[in-house]
Amino acid sequence: MKLFSTLCALVAVAGLAAAEEKKFDASKMEGKWKMVSGTKSGDKLEGKSLEGEVTVDKEKFTIKGGDMTHVMAFKLDTSKSPVQIDMEGKEGPSQGFKAEGIIQLDGDKLTLAYALPEGKRPEKFESAKDSKTMLIVMERVK
């Protein structure tokens, strides 16, 4: 019985260590990104909608495309799964815009889904027709 208890304790500790390894590390988002695909309420984004560069630091996204610059402050809730993100436009055409979303980092791929005005925070990384959800996939610029 003592051996069984010891094995259970080891399995529990190993499980906690594995869970720690999967914890979202926001610092790994920092850097330059390019948008590679996107969908807005079920409609695929193309051309100029995906042009530009996104720079992420510990508290904001700076999106530069054409002659416009958007600065979006963000806060993460890493205790949720998927990780939740709340964004607010601070500069540029998006100033005053607020959005609730979810975010996922997988190596050099950053996926963001967020609610458009009158939408609600998405629960999945998708943007179905009439969902009032924007889905953006970015790849790290090397």
Side-chain angles (χ1 to χ4, degrees):
M1 187 68 164
K2 192 172 185 177
L3 178 62
F4 179 73
S5 296
T6 303
L7 286 174
C8 287
L10 287 172
V11 168
V13 169
L16 287 173
E20 257 325 287
E21 288 176 22
K22 292 183 179 182
K23 187 161 175 102
F24 190 88
D25 183 354
S27 69
K28 291 186 178 180
M29 291 184 352
E30 294 180 27
K32 295 194 183 294
W33 299 84
K34 65 177 179 176
M35 293 179 276
V36 294
S37 66
T39 310
K40 180 179 180 180
S41 293
D43 294 324
K44 186 176 178 180
L45 299 178
E46 297 184 41
K48 290 195 179 280
S49 297
L50 295 173
E51 288 179 6
E53 184 174 81
V54 179
T55 302
V56 181
D57 69 24
K58 64 182 180 180
E59 59 190 33
K60 69 182 181 298
F61 294 101
T62 302
I63 304 114
K64 292 184 179 184
D67 60 350
M68 290 191 285
T69 299
H70 300 267
V71 177
M72 300 287 293
F74 68 85
K75 291 185 181 179
L76 302 173
D77 185 346
T78 59
S79 69
K80 305 285 191 209
S81 182
V83 172
Q84 292 185 353
I85 185 169
D86 293 328
M87 300 178 291
E88 181 177 355
K90 294 296 186 181
E91 296 175 30
S94 59
Q95 187 170 0
F97 174 76
K98 292 184 180 184
E100 297 178 335
I102 54 177
I103 193 163
Q104 173 179 282
L105 179 63
D106 184 13
D108 288 335
K109 179 179 165 186
L110 184 63
T111 306
L112 172 66
Y114 62 92
L116 296 168
E118 299 178 23
K120 64 178 190 165
R121 183 188 311 272
E123 296 177 3
K124 298 178 183 177
F125 291 97
E126 61 186 23
S127 175
K129 184 170 173 53
D130 301 322
S131 65
K132 296 182 183 167
T133 300
M134 180 77 81
L135 175 68
I136 301 290
V137 178
M138 295 174 267
E139 289 181 353
R140 188 178 301 279
V141 174
K142 295 182 181 188

